[in-house]
Amino acid sequence: MIRDLCDGQLEGAEIGSTEITFTPEKIKGGIHTADTKTAGSVCLLMQVSMPCVLFAASPSELHLKGGTNAEMAPQIDYTVMVFKPIVEKFGFIFNCDIKTRGYYPKGGGEVIVRMSPVKQLNPINLTDRGCVTKIYGRAFVAGVLPFKVAKDMAAAAVRCIRKEIRDLYVNIQPVQEPKDQAFGNGNGIIIIAETSTGCLFAGSSLGKRGVNADKVGIEAAEMLLANLRHGGTVDEYLQDQLIVFMALANGVSRIKTGPVTLHTQTAIHFAEQIAKAKFIVKKSEEEEDAAKDTYIIECQGIGMTNPNL
């Protein structure tokens, strides 16, 4: 996809290859289509293309096809409800239109992402978590799965959260995806916690054959609760998705996190190698974090400037 976004040269990008050679050229805007032809994640296509098209010569429209709610990748609901509002703090906005949802193993989903280029990215400072003010979410079924499955996932998740957080109303909507907006069969849930300072955390889970609905709901709830315990301002899955933007921004960015994931360490390694950004990861020294596994990731961004604007 990135080769096509910039008319670059790419060698060795096939299954079984251990080495690729990529020579980028000028990033161009316009309409681009990328199709995984499987349930491969449209969110991962978006993740890799977004930093590029921000520095294109003109606005971009990305038609991304594959899985929208697939394992081992963010669900599209996470991308829209958590990643989007936070990443837009870097000083750009994008529009994500979910045309069709696609699930494992068939895929067949499509989203259209529209965004305009920027001159530079602003640094971010996400170090004040505030307190949780809202918990909400959606539990979905698509295709042949009965609506009761959505209701059961939602109810089990609510029960699980209530054990730990008693003073907040937990609003999880059960949803039957419309037939014309979903391809194949699937079920899953995403639950989001919002704080007084605008931080967003999520827990999510996807149904699999033979796993009962309650278990799916509880898994998402437990993931959310774990992400609320560490005192960071981002959840474990947002961490690594912000690294590239921090590296490119013009100035010092700081985010407070729970334990630093291997994904994040990998992203930092490559951002330092390729972009020459400088990162410092240190334990948070604030009193309220003393007993917790909380870190500050600080980055001196390279101040990438769009040569086309």
Side-chain angles (χ1 to χ4, degrees), residues 183-224:
F183 187 78
N185 308 311
N187 68 294
I189 181 171
I190 178 164
I191 318 162
I192 291 164
E194 199 172 303
T195 76
S196 52
T197 54
C199 297
L200 296 162
F201 301 84
S204 64
S205 183
L206 285 163
K208 291 188 256 323
R209 199 164 273 173
V211 176
N212 77 12
D214 286 26
K215 194 172 171 199
V216 180
I218 290 164
E219 185 176 53
E222 285 178 341
M223 184 191 291
L224 176 67

Side-chain angles (χ1 to χ4, degrees), residues 1-234:
M1 182 180 188
I2 302 307
R3 177 199 65 198
D4 296 347
L5 280 178
C6 69
D7 279 334
Q9 305 290 313
L10 181 60
E11 288 156 40
E14 55 268 326
I15 291 172
S17 165
T18 57
E19 190 172 302
I20 63 167
T21 307
F22 175 49
T23 313
E25 298 292 336
K26 189 177 164 185
I27 303 167
K28 47 182 216 281
I31 298 175
H32 296 278
T33 299
D35 187 352
T36 65
K37 305 214 171 27
T38 63
S41 171
V42 296
C43 301
L44 296 181
L45 292 173
M46 194 189 308
Q47 220 178 74
V48 71
S49 54
M50 193 175 278
C52 297
V53 296
L54 279 171
F55 294 94
S58 60
S60 298
E61 187 174 295
L62 309 174
H63 294 240
L64 310 176
K65 299 176 182 181
T68 58
N69 299 76
E71 291 284 359
M72 310 292 290
Q75 294 191 48
I76 191 67
D77 308 86
Y78 182 95
T79 298
V80 170
M81 295 163 82
V82 178
F83 172 76
K84 182 180 191 292
I86 303 297
V87 85
E88 286 180 342
K89 292 178 191 287
F90 285 99
F92 66 92
I93 49 175
F94 71 95
N95 177 273
C96 181
D97 183 6
I98 305 168
K99 288 283 180 226
T100 322
R101 288 171 177 269
Y103 313 98
Y104 180 81
K106 284 184 181 167
E110 181 179 11
V111 303
I112 299 176
V113 179
R114 296 180 182 89
M115 57 198 303
S116 292
V118 293
K119 184 72 186 161
Q120 277 194 321
L121 294 173
N122 305 326
I124 61 166
N125 186 15
L126 292 181
T127 50
D128 180 12
R129 191 176 94 160
C131 51
V132 178
T133 54
K134 269 193 214 155
I135 299 179
Y136 52 92
R138 93 194 274 278
F140 69 85
V141 290
V144 298
L145 291 155
F147 187 55
K148 181 183 183 305
V149 170
K151 291 196 284 202
D152 289 352
M153 288 189 296
V158 170
R159 283 195 303 272
C160 182
I161 292 167
R162 285 257 165 80
K163 287 184 197 149
E164 220 161 296
I165 301 174
R166 292 184 185 83
D167 52 350
L168 280 180
Y169 174 63
V170 181
N171 178 17
I172 302 175
Q173 292 298 146
V175 181
Q176 171 81 56
E177 302 290 7
K179 288 269 182 277
D180 59 342
Q181 288 166 32
F183 187 78
N185 308 311
N187 68 294
I189 181 171
I190 178 164
I191 318 162
I192 291 164
E194 199 172 303
T195 76
S196 52
T197 54
C199 297
L200 296 162
F201 301 84
S204 64
S205 183
L206 285 163
K208 291 188 256 323
R209 199 164 273 173
V211 176
N212 77 12
D214 286 26
K215 194 172 171 199
V216 180
I218 290 164
E219 185 176 53
E222 285 178 341
M223 184 191 291
L224 176 67
L225 292 168
N227 275 309
L228 290 173
R229 282 185 204 114
H230 58 54
T233 59
V234 296

